Amino acid sequence: MEAREFKDFIYGEFARIGKAISSPKRIELLDLLTQGPKAVEALAADTSMSIANTSKHLQALLESKLVTFSKDKNYVIYRLASEQVLMLVLALRGTAEERISDVKIVREGHILREKSLIPISLEELGEKLNKDAVTLLDVRPFEEYKHGHLPHALSIPISELEAHLESLPKDKEIVAYCRGPYCVYATEAVELLKSRGFQATLLDAGINEWKQIQH
C-alpha cells in the first residue's frame, strides 16, 4: 500500500464516524445511550420519532460500529459500543460548548430559565452531602438510575414526583439531577418543588460528569 493510498483509507474510515454523527437525531440517540442500554421503543419515545425512523438511525450507528444491540424477548436493546464512544459524545458536546456561544445562551434560557435558577456544582454538592445538608434526587427513569447513579441519590422519576412529594423533607434543601446539563427533567423537578414550598435547586451535572471527575 502506497503512502497516499494508506492515508486515503485511514481518513476515509475516520470520515465514516463523522458521517454517522452528522445527524442531530443520531447524536441525541447516542447521548441517551450514555445513560444506559435502551429498547428501540424507549429511544423512539425519548426522541419523538417513529420506531421506523429510530431503527433507521440506529442502523446507521450500528454500521459505523458506534452501538451494539442484543435481544430480550420481543425487544431489541441498544447500547454504546465502548467507553471510547461515550468519550466521543462528551468531547463533541464540550467542543460545541467551547466554540459555539449560542449553546450556552440557549441553555441558560431553557434549562436555567433565563438564569432564574442557580445550579450547584458537583464540588458544592459533595460538601453539602458531607454535612448531610441536602437530599439528592435522581429524576431520570428508574432504568437509568439502576444502570448507574450518584452516591446517596434517591430515585423518583419526574413522572412520579408529584405523587411522592409527601415523602420529601421540607426542612432540608433538595438537589435534583437528571441526564446532565441539557436535560430538562431537573429543571421541571425544581420548579415543581419550589411551587410546593420546598427548598430546591438543580445540579449542573449528571452521572457522566460525575464519572469523569472520579478518574
Side-chain angles (χ1 to χ4, degrees):
M1 183 181 284
E2 298 294 327
R4 182 72 265 157
E5 188 182 2
F6 166 76
K7 287 187 177 182
D8 287 346
F9 171 79
I10 291 299
Y11 289 110
E13 292 303 291
F14 292 170
R16 282 179 63 189
I17 302 298
K19 184 178 180 182
I21 60 174
S22 64
S23 157
K25 285 297 187 183
R26 287 180 208 152
I27 296 173
E28 185 178 0
L29 287 167
L30 289 173
D31 194 33
L32 285 165
L33 290 172
T34 68
Q35 304 297 309
K38 287 180 177 285
V40 176
E41 290 79 2
L43 290 167
D46 280 336
T47 55
S48 301
M49 287 193 291
S50 68
I51 290 176
N53 277 344
T54 303
S55 297
K56 201 175 293 184
H57 283 301
L58 288 167
Q59 186 61 36
L61 294 172
L62 189 64
E63 288 171 0
S64 59
K65 304 186 188 303
L66 295 175
V67 299
T68 61
F69 74 92
S70 58
K71 292 187 177 179
D72 182 8
K73 297 178 182 176
N74 295 327
Y75 295 97
V76 179
I77 310 296
Y78 278 85
R79 52 180 48 80
L80 295 183
S82 70
E83 185 75 12
Q84 196 67 42
V85 180
L86 167 62
M87 299 311 295
L88 172 66
V89 176
L90 297 180
L92 182 64
R93 190 183 78 189
T95 303
E97 290 168 343
E98 180 192 27
R99 307 309 308 161
I100 305 172
S101 59
D102 282 354
V103 170
K104 182 179 179 182
I105 293 168
V106 172
R107 178 179 180 269
E108 287 177 349
H110 188 67
I111 300 296
L112 303 183
R113 301 302 197 229
E114 303 295 349
K115 298 185 181 179
S116 65
L117 298 180
I118 308 299
I120 69 167
S121 66
L122 282 166
E123 184 180 2
E124 291 171 304
L125 174 66
E127 292 170 359
K128 291 189 176 190
L129 285 171
N130 286 337
K131 296 174 183 175
D132 194 28
V134 296
T135 296
L136 181 60
L137 210 56
D138 185 322
V139 296
R140 298 174 300 159
F142 184 65
E143 288 301 313
E144 294 180 14
Y145 174 88
K146 259 197 330 186
H147 183 72
H149 58 269
L150 271 64
H152 312 294
L154 301 175
S155 173
I156 304 182
I158 186 65
S159 59
E160 301 172 20
L161 181 56
E162 189 154 15
H164 288 83
L165 290 178
E166 290 184 5
S167 67
L168 296 172
K170 280 201 170 179
D171 59 347
K172 186 187 285 190
E173 182 183 7
I174 297 171
V175 176
Y177 78 92
C178 51
R179 291 166 174 157
Y182 299 94
C183 175
V184 75
Y185 291 159
T187 299
E188 293 173 350
V190 169
E191 289 180 324
L192 173 60
L193 289 164
K194 281 177 169 289
S195 73
R196 301 301 174 84
F198 291 88
Q199 305 170 58
T201 190
L202 59 89
L203 180 65
D204 198 18
I207 185 68
N208 292 319
E209 291 75 25
W210 178 78
K211 284 180 180 176
Q212 280 189 303
I213 67 171
Q214 304 308 305
H215 294 312

